[in-house]
Amino acid sequence: MPAAKTFYVTTPIYYVNDAPHIGHAYTTIASDAFKRYKRMQGFDARLTTGTDEHGQKIERSAKKAGKSPQAFTDTVAEEFANTWKNFVFGIDYFQRTTSPQHAEMVQELYRRCKANGFIYKSSYTGYYSVVQEAFVQDAKEGDIDPESGQPLELVTEENCFFKLSAFTDWLIELNSDPSFLQPETRRNEVLAFLKQEGGLKDLSISRTTIKWGIPVPDEPGHVFYVWFDALTTYMSAVAGTNLWPADLHMIGKEITRFHAIYWPAFLKAADWPLPKRIFAHGWLLFDNNKMSKSRGNIVRPEPIRQAMGADALRYYLLREIIFGSDGNFAFDALVTRYNADLANGLGNLASRTLTMIHQYRQGAVSLDGEASPLPVSETISAAIDAYERLDFSRALEAIWNLIGAADKYIVEQAPWKLAKDPALADQLDAVLRNVYNVLRVVTVLAAPVMPDSCARIWKLLGMTTALEDERLGALEEGAGAASRQIPPVEPVFPRLDMKTIIAQLD
Ligand code: MSP
């Protein structure tokens, strides 16, 4: 068999000045769900995440915690890695920017940019935002950094510069392609920025005021600007594999400019291949503000997992918020969704169907027969279509509509009545088969979003194969057997009491 085509997805690498919160989890979960979707389409799909550990902000956080930068970043990086073990069940590559392999690649990127004539030295004075790790263009004395509320700092440095200005026209062309940067709103913002009068200014890519960074080759005292360092992670994480160029960089909307402007320019200057697609999603808000350490409105993912399971959060985040837009996070909405869609929706359909198969057919469901009257093929195409566009909420909506249709079908067909009349045995078999088939299809389609719970339902359906090896393209071909014997029924999503859970989480 020919080797499967690779599909490489990345999350941003997260700053280690704070422990993981559900904003970070949101991006990582969405990236993992998309990777799983691609895998179920037959790709050899891989995911990279990691931690962004250099720079002044981290240096200051370490100091505050009374630790060396390395000791500080070791602790937080481990916390991120552990969180993803629980929410993503298998990150393929976790890259820390403090790893030697990463430093080598950053230096190599620089050397290539320099050899191709895109690096020069000059002094620079400007207003610098420590939080954004960037000089703020057109700022003046007394200006406040909107992110931190702190005044901007006036900094003069002898820096290595990257000739970003040489790439303005090329970047306009690149970002004019709608398949490169999505959604449309972000692309329009980037294009407006690129088309501003005078084009792009050159970018300072080294710092002499900071020690905590990767040394610039042949420039004693200079370390790399954090974004030159951080973006290169996407390549260093998969050095030695054939995964680069990335098929998708998943990011939050606030870092679009770095990904759609700086990163392609660095790569072009180095004569390295460009990523194929960037998707910038919206912000998760809490009490209608962006969740952030400085605002103190942070929600952590781990207590939610302990109370409801990782899949409950995965489902809620991808179902409730239109991917690409901002959305509010609320505990009561999380519990309401869980009870309505998971406990009463999917969970109830599974337990009621499987219980009937035991009750009326001793656990054996026969799978050969006429086509189902339920909208199965329509659901499969709608869900695949939506997943492909990263429209997770639409994909899930289509899947849950099928669950609703199956519930209605059971009520209409009333199998408990059919079971009373032996002359209606064929009809009863057809109902059980059709609902079982819906469950099979729904379980496979929802698996990218809820891998753990769907794998449990898969077993309850009597399947012995690994769910993640199922292929979406083969879904309509049926269950792969003339009949199936199912094991005893077990609940997958126990109903939760709102008050108890909220008390546990608040
Ligand atoms: N280290 C940089 C990224 C470098 S990538 C080469 C950085 N890190 S970060 O920790 O601040 O957060 C990065 C990402 O976390 C955001 O782009 C976004 O994907 C995710 N989120 C952090 N807070 C979030 C919300 N409140 N809502 C949605 N996503 C959030 O920037």
Side-chain angles (χ1 to χ4, degrees), residues 267-296:
L267 290 168
K268 179 77 177 162
D271 211 5
W272 274 342
L274 306 179
K276 295 186 190 141
R277 181 181 184 189
I278 300 169
F279 192 99
H281 66 66
W283 284 342
L284 210 54
L285 311 173
F286 192 67
D287 294 336
N288 294 309
N289 264 314
K290 185 183 180 224
M291 222 172 274
S292 74
K293 198 176 174 185
S294 42
R295 288 197 193 89

PDB file of all heavy atoms in Angstrom, residues 267-296:
ATOM      1  N   LEU A 267      10.263  33.022   5.553  1.00  0.00           N
ATOM      2  CA  LEU A 267      10.448  31.779   4.799  1.00  0.00           C
ATOM      3  C   LEU A 267      10.847  32.059   3.353  1.00  0.00           C
ATOM      4  O   LEU A 267      11.731  31.411   2.799  1.00  0.00           O
ATOM      5  CB  LEU A 267       9.166  30.943   4.832  1.00  0.00           C
ATOM      6  CG  LEU A 267       8.824  30.336   6.198  1.00  0.00           C
ATOM      7  CD1 LEU A 267       7.404  29.785   6.196  1.00  0.00           C
ATOM      8  CD2 LEU A 267       9.818  29.233   6.570  1.00  0.00           C
ATOM      9  N   LYS A 268      10.195  33.044   2.776  1.00  0.00           N
ATOM     10  CA  LYS A 268      10.494  33.405   1.387  1.00  0.00           C
ATOM     11  C   LYS A 268      11.943  33.876   1.290  1.00  0.00           C
ATOM     12  O   LYS A 268      12.678  33.493   0.376  1.00  0.00           O
ATOM     13  CB  LYS A 268       9.523  34.515   0.949  1.00  0.00           C
ATOM     14  CG  LYS A 268       9.716  35.013  -0.447  1.00  0.00           C
ATOM     15  CD  LYS A 268       9.140  34.044  -1.452  1.00  0.00           C
ATOM     16  CE  LYS A 268       9.294  34.608  -2.866  1.00  0.00           C
ATOM     17  NZ  LYS A 268       9.141  33.533  -3.854  1.00  0.00           N
ATOM     18  N   ALA A 269      12.361  34.696   2.278  1.00  0.00           N
ATOM     19  CA  ALA A 269      13.733  35.214   2.276  1.00  0.00           C
ATOM     20  C   ALA A 269      14.741  34.070   2.396  1.00  0.00           C
ATOM     21  O   ALA A 269      15.835  34.131   1.854  1.00  0.00           O
ATOM     22  CB  ALA A 269      13.914  36.209   3.421  1.00  0.00           C
ATOM     23  N   ALA A 270      14.351  33.031   3.121  1.00  0.00           N
ATOM     24  CA  ALA A 270      15.251  31.894   3.322  1.00  0.00           C
ATOM     25  C   ALA A 270      15.106  30.871   2.192  1.00  0.00           C
ATOM     26  O   ALA A 270      15.824  29.872   2.178  1.00  0.00           O
ATOM     27  CB  ALA A 270      14.948  31.219   4.657  1.00  0.00           C
ATOM     28  N   ASP A 271      14.163  31.110   1.313  1.00  0.00           N
ATOM     29  CA  ASP A 271      13.909  30.188   0.224  1.00  0.00           C
ATOM     30  C   ASP A 271      13.428  28.820   0.734  1.00  0.00           C
ATOM     31  O   ASP A 271      13.863  27.780   0.266  1.00  0.00           O
ATOM     32  CB  ASP A 271      15.202  30.027  -0.601  1.00  0.00           C
ATOM     33  CG  ASP A 271      14.887  29.769  -2.055  1.00  0.00           C
ATOM     34  OD1 ASP A 271      13.697  29.815  -2.405  1.00  0.00           O
ATOM     35  OD2 ASP A 271      15.835  29.492  -2.818  1.00  0.00           O
ATOM     36  N   TRP A 272      12.554  28.883   1.720  1.00  0.00           N
ATOM     37  CA  TRP A 272      11.946  27.672   2.260  1.00  0.00           C
ATOM     38  C   TRP A 272      10.447  27.670   1.922  1.00  0.00           C
ATOM     39  O   TRP A 272       9.857  28.754   1.761  1.00  0.00           O
ATOM     40  CB  TRP A 272      12.125  27.630   3.785  1.00  0.00           C
ATOM     41  CG  TRP A 272      13.440  27.021   4.209  1.00  0.00           C
ATOM     42  CD1 TRP A 272      14.276  26.240   3.466  1.00  0.00           C
ATOM     43  CD2 TRP A 272      14.050  27.153   5.501  1.00  0.00           C
ATOM     44  NE1 TRP A 272      15.382  25.881   4.197  1.00  0.00           N
ATOM     45  CE2 TRP A 272      15.270  26.425   5.456  1.00  0.00           C
ATOM     46  CE3 TRP A 272      13.710  27.803   6.683  1.00  0.00           C
ATOM     47  CZ2 TRP A 272      16.127  26.320   6.545  1.00  0.00           C
ATOM     48  CZ3 TRP A 272      14.573  27.698   7.779  1.00  0.00           C
ATOM     49  CH2 TRP A 272      15.766  26.968   7.707  1.00  0.00           C
ATOM     50  N   PRO A 273       9.819  26.494   1.826  1.00  0.00           N
ATOM     51  CA  PRO A 273       8.403  26.443   1.440  1.00  0.00           C
ATOM     52  C   PRO A 273       7.466  27.092   2.464  1.00  0.00           C
ATOM     53  O   PRO A 273       7.752  27.088   3.661  1.00  0.00           O
ATOM     54  CB  PRO A 273       8.093  24.949   1.337  1.00  0.00           C
ATOM     55  CG  PRO A 273       9.387  24.238   1.444  1.00  0.00           C
ATOM     56  CD  PRO A 273      10.403  25.158   2.020  1.00  0.00           C
ATOM     57  N   LEU A 274       6.360  27.613   1.966  1.00  0.00           N
ATOM     58  CA  LEU A 274       5.403  28.339   2.814  1.00  0.00           C
ATOM     59  C   LEU A 274       4.310  27.413   3.335  1.00  0.00           C
ATOM     60  O   LEU A 274       3.943  26.452   2.651  1.00  0.00           O
ATOM     61  CB  LEU A 274       4.697  29.412   1.981  1.00  0.00           C
ATOM     62  CG  LEU A 274       5.562  30.395   1.233  1.00  0.00           C
ATOM     63  CD1 LEU A 274       4.661  31.353   0.451  1.00  0.00           C
ATOM     64  CD2 LEU A 274       6.438  31.173   2.200  1.00  0.00           C
ATOM     65  N   PRO A 275       3.738  27.737   4.512  1.00  0.00           N
ATOM     66  CA  PRO A 275       2.570  26.977   4.971  1.00  0.00           C
ATOM     67  C   PRO A 275       1.421  27.169   3.980  1.00  0.00           C
ATOM     68  O   PRO A 275       1.352  28.182   3.297  1.00  0.00           O
ATOM     69  CB  PRO A 275       2.220  27.645   6.314  1.00  0.00           C
ATOM     70  CG  PRO A 275       2.822  29.009   6.240  1.00  0.00           C
ATOM     71  CD  PRO A 275       4.049  28.879   5.387  1.00  0.00           C
ATOM     72  N   LYS A 276       0.497  26.168   3.947  1.00  0.00           N
ATOM     73  CA  LYS A 276      -0.540  26.229   2.915  1.00  0.00           C
ATOM     74  C   LYS A 276      -1.774  27.005   3.338  1.00  0.00           C
ATOM     75  O   LYS A 276      -2.448  27.597   2.523  1.00  0.00           O
ATOM     76  CB  LYS A 276      -0.939  24.803   2.533  1.00  0.00           C
ATOM     77  CG  LYS A 276       0.218  24.080   1.877  1.00  0.00           C
ATOM     78  CD  LYS A 276      -0.206  22.728   1.353  1.00  0.00           C
ATOM     79  CE  LYS A 276       1.033  21.945   0.939  1.00  0.00           C
ATOM     80  NZ  LYS A 276       0.925  20.546   1.299  1.00  0.00           N
ATOM     81  N   ARG A 277      -2.075  26.955   4.625  1.00  0.00           N
ATOM     82  CA  ARG A 277      -3.318  27.594   5.064  1.00  0.00           C
ATOM     83  C   ARG A 277      -3.170  28.093   6.497  1.00  0.00           C
ATOM     84  O   ARG A 277      -2.552  27.424   7.330  1.00  0.00           O
ATOM     85  CB  ARG A 277      -4.421  26.533   4.992  1.00  0.00           C
ATOM     86  CG  ARG A 277      -5.815  26.997   5.378  1.00  0.00           C
ATOM     87  CD  ARG A 277      -6.785  25.802   5.275  1.00  0.00           C
ATOM     88  NE  ARG A 277      -8.161  26.166   5.535  1.00  0.00           N
ATOM     89  CZ  ARG A 277      -9.157  25.287   5.675  1.00  0.00           C
ATOM     90  NH1 ARG A 277      -8.919  23.994   5.550  1.00  0.00           N
ATOM     91  NH2 ARG A 277     -10.380  25.679   5.914  1.00  0.00           N
ATOM     92  N   ILE A 278      -3.771  29.250   6.753  1.00  0.00           N
ATOM     93  CA  ILE A 278      -3.805  29.796   8.121  1.00  0.00           C
ATOM     94  C   ILE A 278      -5.260  30.045   8.465  1.00  0.00           C
ATOM     95  O   ILE A 278      -5.989  30.631   7.662  1.00  0.00           O
ATOM     96  CB  ILE A 278      -3.040  31.142   8.199  1.00  0.00           C
ATOM     97  CG1 ILE A 278      -1.574  30.955   7.793  1.00  0.00           C
ATOM     98  CG2 ILE A 278      -3.140  31.744   9.601  1.00  0.00           C
ATOM     99  CD1 ILE A 278      -0.829  32.275   7.598  1.00  0.00           C
ATOM    100  N   PHE A 279      -5.674  29.577   9.617  1.00  0.00           N
ATOM    101  CA  PHE A 279      -7.037  29.900  10.052  1.00  0.00           C
ATOM    102  C   PHE A 279      -6.949  30.594  11.407  1.00  0.00           C
ATOM    103  O   PHE A 279      -6.391  30.059  12.364  1.00  0.00           O
ATOM    104  CB  PHE A 279      -7.910  28.641  10.165  1.00  0.00           C
ATOM    105  CG  PHE A 279      -9.375  28.995  10.323  1.00  0.00           C
ATOM    106  CD1 PHE A 279     -10.228  28.971   9.229  1.00  0.00           C
ATOM    107  CD2 PHE A 279      -9.882  29.399  11.559  1.00  0.00           C
ATOM    108  CE1 PHE A 279     -11.573  29.332   9.361  1.00  0.00           C
ATOM    109  CE2 PHE A 279     -11.221  29.766  11.705  1.00  0.00           C
ATOM    110  CZ  PHE A 279     -12.074  29.725  10.599  1.00  0.00           C
ATOM    111  N   ALA A 280      -7.521  31.811  11.471  1.00  0.00           N
ATOM    112  CA  ALA A 280      -7.471  32.590  12.715  1.00  0.00           C
ATOM    113  C   ALA A 280      -8.856  32.593  13.358  1.00  0.00           C
ATOM    114  O   ALA A 280      -9.785  33.201  12.830  1.00  0.00           O
ATOM    115  CB  ALA A 280      -7.025  34.012  12.404  1.00  0.00           C
ATOM    116  N   HIS A 281      -8.979  31.898  14.472  1.00  0.00           N
ATOM    117  CA  HIS A 281     -10.292  31.833  15.123  1.00  0.00           C
ATOM    118  C   HIS A 281     -10.481  33.009  16.077  1.00  0.00           C
ATOM    119  O   HIS A 281      -9.552  33.776  16.349  1.00  0.00           O
ATOM    120  CB  HIS A 281     -10.480  30.496  15.833  1.00  0.00           C
ATOM    121  CG  HIS A 281      -9.555  30.305  16.997  1.00  0.00           C
ATOM    122  ND1 HIS A 281      -9.620  31.067  18.141  1.00  0.00           N
ATOM    123  CD2 HIS A 281      -8.536  29.438  17.187  1.00  0.00           C
ATOM    124  CE1 HIS A 281      -8.690  30.678  18.974  1.00  0.00           C
ATOM    125  NE2 HIS A 281      -8.000  29.691  18.411  1.00  0.00           N
ATOM    126  N   GLY A 282     -11.703  33.123  16.609  1.00  0.00           N
ATOM    127  CA  GLY A 282     -12.033  34.257  17.476  1.00  0.00           C
ATOM    128  C   GLY A 282     -11.632  34.005  18.925  1.00  0.00           C
ATOM    129  O   GLY A 282     -11.009  32.990  19.255  1.00  0.00           O
ATOM    130  N   TRP A 283     -12.005  34.916  19.763  1.00  0.00           N
ATOM    131  CA  TRP A 283     -11.649  34.829  21.183  1.00  0.00           C
ATOM    132  C   TRP A 283     -12.757  34.202  21.985  1.00  0.00           C
ATOM    133  O   TRP A 283     -13.948  34.415  21.729  1.00  0.00           O
ATOM    134  CB  TRP A 283     -11.397  36.217  21.751  1.00  0.00           C
ATOM    135  CG  TRP A 283     -10.084  36.772  21.347  1.00  0.00           C
ATOM    136  CD1 TRP A 283      -9.006  36.083  20.857  1.00  0.00           C
ATOM    137  CD2 TRP A 283      -9.711  38.151  21.376  1.00  0.00           C
ATOM    138  NE1 TRP A 283      -7.977  36.950  20.593  1.00  0.00           N
ATOM    139  CE2 TRP A 283      -8.385  38.211  20.908  1.00  0.00           C
ATOM    140  CE3 TRP A 283     -10.358  39.322  21.776  1.00  0.00           C
ATOM    141  CZ2 TRP A 283      -7.692  39.412  20.815  1.00  0.00           C
ATOM    142  CZ3 TRP A 283      -9.667  40.515  21.682  1.00  0.00           C
ATOM    143  CH2 TRP A 283      -8.351  40.555  21.208  1.00  0.00           C
ATOM    144  N   LEU A 284     -12.321  33.484  22.983  1.00  0.00           N
ATOM    145  CA  LEU A 284     -13.221  32.963  23.989  1.00  0.00           C
ATOM    146  C   LEU A 284     -13.315  34.047  25.056  1.00  0.00           C
ATOM    147  O   LEU A 284     -12.297  34.466  25.607  1.00  0.00           O
ATOM    148  CB  LEU A 284     -12.550  31.730  24.575  1.00  0.00           C
ATOM    149  CG  LEU A 284     -13.400  30.615  25.092  1.00  0.00           C
ATOM    150  CD1 LEU A 284     -14.375  30.172  24.031  1.00  0.00           C
ATOM    151  CD2 LEU A 284     -12.498  29.450  25.467  1.00  0.00           C
ATOM    152  N   LEU A 285     -14.530  34.495  25.291  1.00  0.00           N
ATOM    153  CA  LEU A 285     -14.717  35.579  26.255  1.00  0.00           C
ATOM    154  C   LEU A 285     -15.304  35.010  27.536  1.00  0.00           C
ATOM    155  O   LEU A 285     -15.998  34.000  27.495  1.00  0.00           O
ATOM    156  CB  LEU A 285     -15.666  36.626  25.682  1.00  0.00           C
ATOM    157  CG  LEU A 285     -15.357  37.114  24.267  1.00  0.00           C
ATOM    158  CD1 LEU A 285     -16.471  38.015  23.752  1.00  0.00           C
ATOM    159  CD2 LEU A 285     -14.018  37.835  24.219  1.00  0.00           C
ATOM    160  N   PHE A 286     -14.979  35.649  28.628  1.00  0.00           N
ATOM    161  CA  PHE A 286     -15.594  35.267  29.892  1.00  0.00           C
ATOM    162  C   PHE A 286     -16.141  36.550  30.482  1.00  0.00           C
ATOM    163  O   PHE A 286     -15.416  37.531  30.585  1.00  0.00           O
ATOM    164  CB  PHE A 286     -14.573  34.611  30.818  1.00  0.00           C
ATOM    165  CG  PHE A 286     -15.210  33.950  32.007  1.00  0.00           C
ATOM    166  CD1 PHE A 286     -16.014  32.825  31.846  1.00  0.00           C
ATOM    167  CD2 PHE A 286     -15.014  34.445  33.281  1.00  0.00           C
ATOM    168  CE1 PHE A 286     -16.602  32.214  32.931  1.00  0.00           C
ATOM    169  CE2 PHE A 286     -15.603  33.830  34.374  1.00  0.00           C
ATOM    170  CZ  PHE A 286     -16.396  32.710  34.200  1.00  0.00           C
ATOM    171  N   ASP A 287     -17.420  36.554  30.809  1.00  0.00           N
ATOM    172  CA  ASP A 287     -18.088  37.800  31.184  1.00  0.00           C
ATOM    173  C   ASP A 287     -17.863  38.862  30.099  1.00  0.00           C
ATOM    174  O   ASP A 287     -17.606  40.028  30.386  1.00  0.00           O
ATOM    175  CB  ASP A 287     -17.593  38.331  32.541  1.00  0.00           C
ATOM    176  CG  ASP A 287     -17.978  37.389  33.670  1.00  0.00           C
ATOM    177  OD1 ASP A 287     -18.959  36.635  33.489  1.00  0.00           O
ATOM    178  OD2 ASP A 287     -17.299  37.403  34.713  1.00  0.00           O
ATOM    179  N   ASN A 288     -17.906  38.420  28.863  1.00  0.00           N
ATOM    180  CA  ASN A 288     -17.776  39.290  27.685  1.00  0.00           C
ATOM    181  C   ASN A 288     -16.455  40.035  27.543  1.00  0.00           C
ATOM    182  O   ASN A 288     -16.365  41.010  26.829  1.00  0.00           O
ATOM    183  CB  ASN A 288     -18.966  40.243  27.580  1.00  0.00           C
ATOM    184  CG  ASN A 288     -20.234  39.448  27.311  1.00  0.00           C
ATOM    185  OD1 ASN A 288     -20.254  38.628  26.393  1.00  0.00           O
ATOM    186  ND2 ASN A 288     -21.244  39.637  28.139  1.00  0.00           N
ATOM    187  N   ASN A 289     -15.403  39.551  28.200  1.00  0.00           N
ATOM    188  CA  ASN A 289     -14.056  40.087  28.008  1.00  0.00           C
ATOM    189  C   ASN A 289     -13.122  38.969  27.591  1.00  0.00           C
ATOM    190  O   ASN A 289     -13.342  37.816  27.979  1.00  0.00           O
ATOM    191  CB  ASN A 289     -13.510  40.632  29.330  1.00  0.00           C
ATOM    192  CG  ASN A 289     -13.733  42.116  29.433  1.00  0.00           C
ATOM    193  OD1 ASN A 289     -13.476  42.853  28.486  1.00  0.00           O
ATOM    194  ND2 ASN A 289     -14.213  42.547  30.589  1.00  0.00           N
ATOM    195  N   LYS A 290     -12.064  39.293  26.833  1.00  0.00           N
ATOM    196  CA  LYS A 290     -11.099  38.252  26.481  1.00  0.00           C
ATOM    197  C   LYS A 290     -10.478  37.719  27.765  1.00  0.00           C
ATOM    198  O   LYS A 290     -10.113  38.473  28.649  1.00  0.00           O
ATOM    199  CB  LYS A 290     -10.003  38.810  25.573  1.00  0.00           C
ATOM    200  CG  LYS A 290      -9.069  37.709  25.113  1.00  0.00           C
ATOM    201  CD  LYS A 290      -7.922  38.185  24.263  1.00  0.00           C
ATOM    202  CE  LYS A 290      -7.070  36.995  23.860  1.00  0.00           C
ATOM    203  NZ  LYS A 290      -5.659  37.217  23.977  1.00  0.00           N
ATOM    204  N   MET A 291     -10.408  36.391  27.823  1.00  0.00           N
ATOM    205  CA  MET A 291      -9.832  35.791  29.004  1.00  0.00           C
ATOM    206  C   MET A 291      -8.343  36.105  29.032  1.00  0.00           C
ATOM    207  O   MET A 291      -7.646  35.881  28.052  1.00  0.00           O
ATOM    208  CB  MET A 291     -10.002  34.281  28.860  1.00  0.00           C
ATOM    209  CG  MET A 291     -10.407  33.591  30.102  1.00  0.00           C
ATOM    210  SD  MET A 291     -10.780  31.901  29.710  1.00  0.00           S
ATOM    211  CE  MET A 291     -12.474  32.007  29.227  1.00  0.00           C
ATOM    212  N   SER A 292      -7.846  36.665  30.094  1.00  0.00           N
ATOM    213  CA  SER A 292      -6.410  36.898  30.161  1.00  0.00           C
ATOM    214  C   SER A 292      -5.992  37.089  31.608  1.00  0.00           C
ATOM    215  O   SER A 292      -6.804  37.446  32.470  1.00  0.00           O
ATOM    216  CB  SER A 292      -6.016  38.121  29.338  1.00  0.00           C
ATOM    217  OG  SER A 292      -6.416  39.290  30.013  1.00  0.00           O
ATOM    218  N   LYS A 293      -4.713  36.829  31.822  1.00  0.00           N
ATOM    219  CA  LYS A 293      -4.171  36.888  33.169  1.00  0.00           C
ATOM    220  C   LYS A 293      -4.340  38.298  33.742  1.00  0.00           C
ATOM    221  O   LYS A 293      -4.746  38.474  34.890  1.00  0.00           O
ATOM    222  CB  LYS A 293      -2.695  36.528  33.112  1.00  0.00           C
ATOM    223  CG  LYS A 293      -2.131  36.128  34.440  1.00  0.00           C
ATOM    224  CD  LYS A 293      -0.691  35.704  34.270  1.00  0.00           C
ATOM    225  CE  LYS A 293      -0.048  35.442  35.601  1.00  0.00           C
ATOM    226  NZ  LYS A 293       1.374  35.144  35.438  1.00  0.00           N
ATOM    227  N   SER A 294      -4.057  39.303  32.892  1.00  0.00           N
ATOM    228  CA  SER A 294      -4.108  40.664  33.422  1.00  0.00           C
ATOM    229  C   SER A 294      -5.528  41.063  33.829  1.00  0.00           C
ATOM    230  O   SER A 294      -5.705  41.871  34.716  1.00  0.00           O
ATOM    231  CB  SER A 294      -3.521  41.656  32.415  1.00  0.00           C
ATOM    232  OG  SER A 294      -3.948  41.365  31.120  1.00  0.00           O
ATOM    233  N   ARG A 295      -6.545  40.483  33.170  1.00  0.00           N
ATOM    234  CA  ARG A 295      -7.921  40.823  33.558  1.00  0.00           C
ATOM    235  C   ARG A 295      -8.443  39.938  34.696  1.00  0.00           C
ATOM    236  O   ARG A 295      -9.501  40.212  35.254  1.00  0.00           O
ATOM    237  CB  ARG A 295      -8.862  40.670  32.360  1.00  0.00           C
ATOM    238  CG  ARG A 295      -8.661  41.756  31.351  1.00  0.00           C
ATOM    239  CD  ARG A 295      -9.839  41.855  30.394  1.00  0.00           C
ATOM    240  NE  ARG A 295      -9.432  42.698  29.289  1.00  0.00           N
ATOM    241  CZ  ARG A 295      -8.842  42.252  28.189  1.00  0.00           C
ATOM    242  NH1 ARG A 295      -8.632  40.964  28.039  1.00  0.00           N
ATOM    243  NH2 ARG A 295      -8.475  43.069  27.237  1.00  0.00           N
ATOM    244  N   GLY A 296      -7.722  38.868  34.974  1.00  0.00           N
ATOM    245  CA  GLY A 296      -8.100  38.005  36.098  1.00  0.00           C
ATOM    246  C   GLY A 296      -9.391  37.235  35.873  1.00  0.00           C
ATOM    247  O   GLY A 296     -10.034  36.796  36.826  1.00  0.00           O
TER     248      GLY A 296
END
